[in-house]
Amino acid sequence: MRDAQPSTIFLSDYSVPDFLIDSTTLRFELGEASSLVCSVLALRRNPDAASQDAPLQLHGTELELVSLSIDGRQLDDSEWSQSGEQLSIANVPASFSLCCETRLRPQDNTSLEGLYKSSGMFCTQCEAEGFRKITYYLDRPDVMSVFTVEIIADQSRYPVLLSNGNLIETESLADGIHKTVWHDPFPKPAYLFALVAGKLAVVEDQFLTTSGRSVDLKIYVDEKDLDKCDHAMLSLKNAMRWDEDVYGREYDLDIFNIVAVDDFNMGAMENKSLNIFNTSCVLAKQETTTDAGFQRVEGVVAHEYFHNWSGNRVTCRDWFQLSLKEGFTVFRDSEFSSDMGSPTVKRVEDVTLLRTAQFAEDAGPMAHPIRPDSFIEISNFYTVTIYEKGSEVVRMIHTLLGPELFRKGSDLYFDRHDGQAVTCEDFVLAMEDASGIDLKQFRHWYSQAGTPRLHVSGTYDEQAQTYTLVVKQSCPSTPGQTEKAPFHIPLAVALIGEAGQLALQLTDAAANIESPDNTELVLNVTEPEQRFVFANIKEEPVPSLLRGFSAPVKLDFDYSGAQLLRLMRSDSDGFCRWDASQQLGLVEIKRAITALAAGQQVSPDSEYVSACRELLANTSLDAAMVALMLQLPSEAYLAEIIHPVDVHGIHHAREALRKALATALSDEFSACYSRCESDEAYAPDAAQIARRSLKNTALSYLMLLDDAQSIALAVRQYESSSNMTDRLAALTYLVNSTAAYKAEALLRFYQQWQHEPLVINQWFQVQAMCRLPGTLEVVQGLMSHPAFDIRNPNKVRALIGAFCGQNGVNFHREDGAGYRFLADQVLLLNRSNPQIASRLLVPLTKWRKYLPSAQQLMCSELQRVLADPELSSDVYEVVSKSLQDYQ
Ligand code: B3K
Ligand code: ZN
């Protein structure tokens, strides 16, 4: 729990470590009552440190120190001191061996950080600062050491004992105890250390690298999950091949292990050669896992694997540089997923996440640049900004350099910094050095928070046959940053004429990268206001702007309905085509809000309805795109656009519009549904995923008709599906409907799947996300269901997280009961698992966006949380920053 004054750490205070650790030898004696850790550190003064006589200061949190010795001599109590998280030893030699013994109680560690137990298995999570919960150490990423790890445990309870690197010794000891010794030849920071001990079954495979190294691939899971590992294994092999092909990066050890654990704070962790995964990101089979689940497994397996180069071989100097490894690795995994599936769909999904969650973060009290200047608790900075915006920033570099120069840049970065702990600046410099392209102004993306806004206007001069785009950029102020320097924004554009894209020729040479056929350009937007004139334009075009979402900005262009319809029907850029459908949807929702407020009926524009009808009949377009274009902008996205946010008004208008579309297009939705039905054997490939997605989109509209026929269709789909995608979709629509069958469906679902925790999480989530009144009471009831366990983060996310974060209309109940519920859960979890508590709190921190009545109720709950004297630094930082300037 927190000190009286949790302190802020600043990037500007960075200094190199006073000591280095050449080698780290750890011995773990794992027991039921307690476990003993003995560490032997080969320490020496860092020749680069400012002071050559500073005391040795080690990090340690909540540790029981058993003994401490230097070069074999036991220290007495006067030779060391402890304050907060620091252990200090004065007067140490220039180089010495420090031996330290600590006693831990992993079975009582509910924070799931450090060494803990999950379903009877010992496991670790050290990033960012969990290693200091295991032993005293220089727990910072720029201290890299060669680790040797000895694990001693009961053989029958813990037959599998794993750590990083190569297995160098196994031995059976007396009394049913056994021992393994692991050695990792690659120096690494402590955050990449891992240990696992448990009763685990294994799925094995092999991968042959281009240079001929045979790598043993092993996925360790609970015995009952052995049939759910194929997809992860295939994804791993695909990722290994892809990284060789696209980045020229090979795997560097003879063994690569993945272990699945039930209790895990996030998705997975890239520990060197021993990745630890949340079961939800590794297990998949058609009966239990949705298409989205399959895609998540593929993406996360690849992400963690890619970290072996972008994160492990080249790591971060300090935690302010987190996006160096996370932004780059997300960019790598999203390109991989794009290559494995449908690129446009992947892009739309990524943009959707960015525009909802990240834009909201950038506009809220926790807004921070992708390289933050300060933090109180680093765990709070594993954010959509660091990850997703960080990835967009790398993508922009890729756009500005082009694929060949970008590859030259990444080669230079990996070669130049292999084995080092470096900064975002080192990454940008490698890109600049390799390409010769100046990224000076581009660097503002690393230091400035907030979502830039582009106001674009277009004028056609028929006489001169020119088309002029005027681009103005601005960026709102964010906490601690009122003035922003202009960004360097790559703006991809095309001009669409009656018969397709026009050839582009700028009157001055301000532009840069051109498509091979000269119909697409990337404009370098660098000034607060800039003008781009296109010559030889023979008709008034419709501009297609920010193609492929070429920069993480908000773009305003005053399109007419007819222009948007043209883009929606014929733009060759999938993102812009989809975005045009969303802008049209937004116009209709705004009209619906006005109509409902005036007590009128919601009737969508006939042109819009026709365009949707055309879409439903369009069999040449990717079915997944059709599905995405038919889905109206989400309530979360609308909350980013319409201010102040009237959650209920938006919800009712959107639902009324959906119902009007369902009524107007019921025959088309039915026909589309039938067309998408198939009895083909399940595969999580792009074509099938697309078809299921369109089929379920059609069903979701049909269910709004609330007639016996549609309900029967959903019941039939629910009962007859052999895959979880269709089954869960049907269950979701039934639960949100008036169908009498829903209670039975929920009960039968539970009975069938009660022994599969990941399926039961989906069952919790469907109920938590039900839009009907009374859902809060249902959620409260489910918290005492035998299958619920507040210590398991997946369950907390499925029930509490989904209710508070994804069920706006119920969370924002006008009596404030939703807010009270969340604050209660945060206060409870603050004591057991602060990381989960502070993440859960996020929906309340967005209070400034809502109507005054909601604001007041939300703030009083935040104040109640802030008043808890035992607040963790995690929750303290989020709640105090969100209440800053609140009267
Ligand atoms: N690097 C880990 C995240 C660790 C989060 C610690 N609170 C997973 C990932 O991004 O790959
Ligand atoms: Zn990562």
Side-chain angles (χ1 to χ4, degrees):
M1 293 299 142
R2 76 175 164 100
D3 310 336
Q5 295 269 297
S7 49
T8 301
I9 302 162
F10 295 91
L11 167 58
S12 55
D13 288 343
Y14 174 83
S15 60
V16 300
D18 289 332
F19 291 84
L20 302 174
I21 308 177
D22 292 326
S23 70
T24 299
T25 306
L26 301 170
R27 192 182 73 238
F28 288 83
E29 292 173 31
L30 303 173
E32 297 315 294
S34 67
S35 298
L36 208 62
V37 184
C38 173
S39 81
V40 180
L41 312 181
L43 281 147
R44 67 183 158 92
R45 287 198 180 272
N46 181 358
D48 297 334
S51 154
Q52 290 298 316
D53 56 6
L56 173 67
Q57 294 201 310
L58 299 173
H59 303 109
T61 305
E62 298 159 25
L63 288 172
E64 180 185 331
L65 181 59
V66 178
S67 73
L68 200 56
S69 62
I70 286 186
D71 293 332
R73 185 182 68 80
Q74 194 85 17
L75 299 190
D76 70 44
D77 289 357
S78 66
E79 292 176 276
W80 57 273
S81 64
Q82 210 169 354
S83 121
E85 290 206 342
Q86 296 273 350
L87 178 94
S88 294
I89 311 175
N91 307 318
V92 294
S95 120
F96 57 100
S97 163
L98 179 89
C99 178
C100 167
E101 273 186 302
T102 51
R103 192 185 312 281
L104 312 177
R105 281 175 188 72
Q107 66 278 14
D108 299 334
N109 179 355
T110 58
S111 70
L112 312 187
E113 195 190 30
L115 177 66
Y116 66 94
K117 277 187 107 171
S118 170
S119 305
M121 174 198 328
F122 286 96
C123 62
T124 54
Q125 171 53 38
C126 293
E127 187 178 358
E129 298 180 336
F131 193 76
R132 62 187 66 182
K133 289 183 155 186
I134 294 174
T135 187
Y136 290 97
Y137 204 77
L138 287 169
D139 188 7
R140 44 186 286 170
D142 56 353
V143 172
M144 300 168 82
S145 184
V146 173
F147 280 65
T148 306
V149 180
E150 191 175 310
I151 312 170
I152 299 167
D154 183 273
Q155 178 138 26
S156 60
R157 281 181 210 259
Y158 312 105
V160 174
L161 305 176
L162 306 171
S163 190
N164 317 88
N166 302 313
L167 177 65
I168 55 170
E169 200 183 317
T170 56
E171 197 183 339
S172 283
L173 308 172
D175 303 324
I177 303 289
H178 71 148
K179 170 177 116 173
T180 64
V181 185
W182 294 80
H183 177 76
D184 180 359
F186 292 96
K188 65 170 176 289
Y191 85 84
L192 290 172
F193 161 79
L195 171 150
V196 167
K199 200 176 270 177
L200 291 156
V202 63
V203 172
E204 299 190 52
D205 207 330
Q206 284 195 326
F207 180 85
L208 193 64
T209 68
T210 301
S211 69
R213 179 197 283 274
S214 169
V215 184
D216 288 334
L217 312 177
K218 302 187 188 197
I219 303 184
Y220 289 90
V221 294
D222 194 283
E223 175 102 50
K224 77 164 176 49
D225 294 324
L226 277 173
D227 61 343
K228 305 187 192 81
C229 298
D230 293 354
H231 186 64
M233 189 63 91
L234 178 65
S235 303
L236 176 60
K237 290 188 287 183
N238 287 340
M240 293 176 87
R241 183 64 65 216
W242 188 91
D243 213 15
E244 292 184 349
D245 292 347
V246 180
Y247 281 85
R249 298 291 122 196
E250 274 194 26
Y251 188 61
D252 51 12
L253 281 163
D254 300 333
I255 181 164
F256 187 84
N257 289 324
I258 286 179
V259 179
V261 304
D262 287 324
D263 305 296
F264 207 65
N265 279 347
M266 62 275 169
M269 176 64 210
E270 71 264 24
N271 316 298
K272 183 80 186 185
S273 76
L274 178 52
N275 285 192
I276 298 185
F277 272 63
N278 188 322
T279 43
S280 71
C281 292
V282 62
L283 305 179
K285 72 170 183 178
Q286 70 174 85
E287 293 82 3
T288 57
T289 314
T290 61
D291 290 339
F294 272 87
Q295 288 175 315
R296 180 150 170 77
V297 167
E298 179 182 71
V300 177
V301 166
H303 179 99
E304 305 312 330
Y305 174 74
F306 295 153
H307 268 315
N308 190 52
W309 275 97
S310 49
N312 300 2
R313 288 286 287 257
V314 181
T315 194
C316 300
R317 185 192 73 173
D318 55 74
W319 292 120
F320 298 100
Q321 319 295 331
L322 182 57
S323 199
L324 172 74
K325 74 176 176 82
E326 296 305 348
F328 186 23
T329 305
V330 172
F331 173 67
R332 278 149 59 66
D333 86 57
S334 69
E335 289 290 284
F336 166 75
S337 295
S338 170
D339 286 349
M340 296 295 120
S342 158
T344 306
V345 172
K346 173 66 179 151
R347 191 69 190 127
V348 166
E349 287 166 357
D350 288 352
V351 173
T352 301
L353 175 64
L354 197 83
R355 276 181 169 176
T356 50
Q358 200 281 322
F359 283 11
E361 185 166 85
D362 240 350
M366 285 289 289
H368 52 277
I370 65 165
R371 183 187 54 217
D373 300 313
S374 68
F375 57 74
I376 293 178
E377 174 53 65
I378 183 56
S379 298
N380 285 328
F381 284 79
Y382 287 77
T383 59
V384 274
T385 298
I386 301 291
Y387 277 66
E388 320 304 329
K389 186 174 182 179
S391 162
E392 293 299 322
V393 169
V394 175
R395 179 180 297 278
M396 287 191 286
I397 297 180
H398 187 273
T399 303
L400 291 170
L401 269 59
E404 285 83 25
L405 290 179
F406 183 87
R407 170 64 193 270
K408 240 178 113 187
S410 69
D411 282 350
L412 179 61
Y413 169 72
F414 288 128
D415 293 347
R416 192 185 262 179
H417 298 297
D418 191 7
Q420 297 177 3
V422 302
T423 60
C424 297
E425 174 57 24
D426 292 318
F427 181 81
V428 178
L429 210 54
M431 289 292 162
E432 262 181 337
D433 288 350
S435 68
I437 289 174
D438 180 356
L439 296 171
K440 185 166 180 293
Q441 188 182 355
F442 185 85
R443 283 171 171 77
H444 293 318
W445 285 106
Y446 285 89
S447 56
Q448 296 187 153
T451 306
R453 194 172 262 281
L454 288 182
H455 286 272
V456 184
S457 56
T459 328
Y460 181 55
D461 183 335
E462 199 177 347
Q463 211 144 45
Q465 304 229 313
T466 58
Y467 186 74
T468 303
L469 284 176
V470 175
V471 183
K472 295 181 190 167
Q473 65 160 302
S474 61
C475 182
S477 39
T478 48
Q481 288 186 341
T482 43
E483 295 303 314
K484 314 272 178 172
F487 288 89
H488 178 179
I489 299 170
L491 177 63
V493 300
L495 300 179
I496 318 278
E498 286 291 345
Q501 282 170 225
L502 307 180
L504 300 181
Q505 188 193 334
L506 278 171
T507 55
D508 64 25
N512 15 126
I513 305 154
E514 300 172 7
S515 65
D517 64 355
N518 211 23
T519 59
E520 181 171 337
L521 283 177
V522 179
L523 303 175
N524 274 315
V525 174
T526 52
E527 309 287 328
E529 180 170 341
Q530 237 167 312
R531 169 180 301 265
F532 300 92
V533 183
F534 297 90
N536 295 324
I537 302 294
K538 309 228 171 341
E539 59 180 305
E540 176 159 13
V542 179
S544 165
L545 301 167
L546 204 67
R547 289 164 72 81
F549 197 68
S550 60
V553 300
K554 293 184 182 174
L555 186 136
D556 301 319
F557 185 93
D558 194 12
Y559 284 113
S560 68
Q563 288 179 316
L564 286 174
L565 283 164
R566 186 191 294 184
L567 292 175
M568 176 173 165
R569 287 188 172 118
S570 63
D571 198 335
S572 64
D573 183 79
F575 161 75
C576 284
R577 198 165 174 181
W578 165 79
D579 197 37
S581 77
Q582 299 300 288
Q583 291 187 56
L584 283 163
L586 176 64
V587 171
E588 293 301 322
I589 291 169
K590 285 183 173 167
R591 286 185 53 229
I593 292 174
T594 314
L596 287 183
Q600 291 161 1
Q601 283 237 310
V602 170
S603 63
D605 175 73
S606 61
E607 278 283 342
Y608 176 66
V609 177
S610 301
C612 293
R613 182 174 291 117
E614 265 174 51
L615 266 179
L616 278 162
N618 187 337
T619 46
S620 60
L621 195 58
D622 177 4
M625 277 300 287
V626 175
L628 286 166
M629 289 167 79
L630 287 169
Q631 287 159 23
L632 293 173
S634 68
E635 289 175 26
Y637 180 55
L638 295 168
E640 278 314 292
I641 303 218
I642 303 173
H643 289 125
V645 181
D646 169 5
V647 178
H648 302 275
I650 290 175
H651 173 75
H652 294 308
R654 185 175 179 279
E655 286 306 293
L657 177 61
R658 270 163 45 81
K659 194 164 178 168
L661 286 173
T663 309
L665 300 169
S666 61
D667 290 346
E668 288 82 353
F669 279 122
S670 282
C672 174
Y673 182 89
S674 308
R675 207 172 58 231
C676 292
E677 278 190 299
S678 156
D679 49 15
E680 205 178 349
Y682 177 90
D685 60 34
Q688 281 199 19
I689 292 174
R691 210 187 50 229
R692 281 188 286 274
S693 157
L694 182 54
K695 180 177 77 171
N696 288 318
T697 301
L699 181 59
S700 79
Y701 274 102
L702 290 171
M703 284 297 281
L704 298 171
L705 301 173
D706 203 20
D707 59 0
Q709 209 183 334
S710 308
I711 292 175
L713 205 58
V715 171
R716 199 196 64 189
Q717 175 168 322
Y718 174 72
E719 287 182 339
S720 65
S721 301
S722 60
N723 67 77
M724 186 50 86
T725 307
D726 287 340
R727 186 171 282 241
L728 198 71
L731 183 66
T732 302
Y733 308 143
L734 286 167
V735 164
N736 280 278
S737 77
T738 56
Y741 178 73
K742 67 181 158 186
E744 189 186 330
L746 281 169
L747 186 66
R748 285 182 37 194
F749 191 98
Y750 180 75
Q751 283 166 344
Q752 184 177 356
W753 297 112
Q754 55 185 309
H755 303 300
E756 293 284 356
L758 295 175
V759 182
I760 293 307
N761 293 346
Q762 301 178 64
W763 181 79
F764 280 129
Q765 188 165 349
V766 165
Q767 296 178 79
M769 286 175 58
C770 174
R771 300 294 192 262
L772 301 179
T775 299
L776 175 58
E777 286 73 14
V778 172
V779 169
Q780 281 168 325
L782 286 170
M783 294 207 28
S784 21
H785 191 282
F788 186 75
D789 178 359
I790 199 152
R791 286 166 308 180
N792 177 265
N794 288 351
K795 302 225 180 292
V796 172
R797 281 186 280 259
L799 194 56
I800 311 172
F803 176 80
C804 301
Q806 294 169 64
N807 191 348
V809 75
N810 276 300
F811 174 62
H812 291 276
R813 249 168 70 151
E814 273 151 0
D815 62 0
Y819 310 146
R820 202 155 51 243
F821 169 71
L822 176 53
D824 287 343
Q825 304 316 317
V826 167
L827 286 168
L828 202 67
L829 281 157
N830 169 60
R831 284 153 207 262
S832 54
N833 189 331
Q835 285 183 19
I836 296 295
S838 91
R839 266 188 188 238
L840 219 50
L841 186 56
V842 169
L844 270 180
T845 66
K846 307 278 160 66
W847 58 271
R848 279 188 174 81
K849 294 205 299 211
Y850 298 97
L851 296 174
S853 51
Q855 288 196 3
Q856 214 215 326
L857 291 164
M858 293 172 91
C859 285
S860 68
E861 292 305 325
L862 286 167
Q863 282 172 320
R864 186 159 69 86
V865 172
L866 187 61
D868 186 325
E870 293 283 287
L871 232 40
S872 58
S873 53
D874 307 61
V875 175
Y876 173 79
E877 176 168 38
V878 174
V879 72
S880 63
K881 287 185 175 171
S882 73
L883 280 171
Q884 235 153 44
D885 307 326
Y886 175 69
Q887 318 300 330

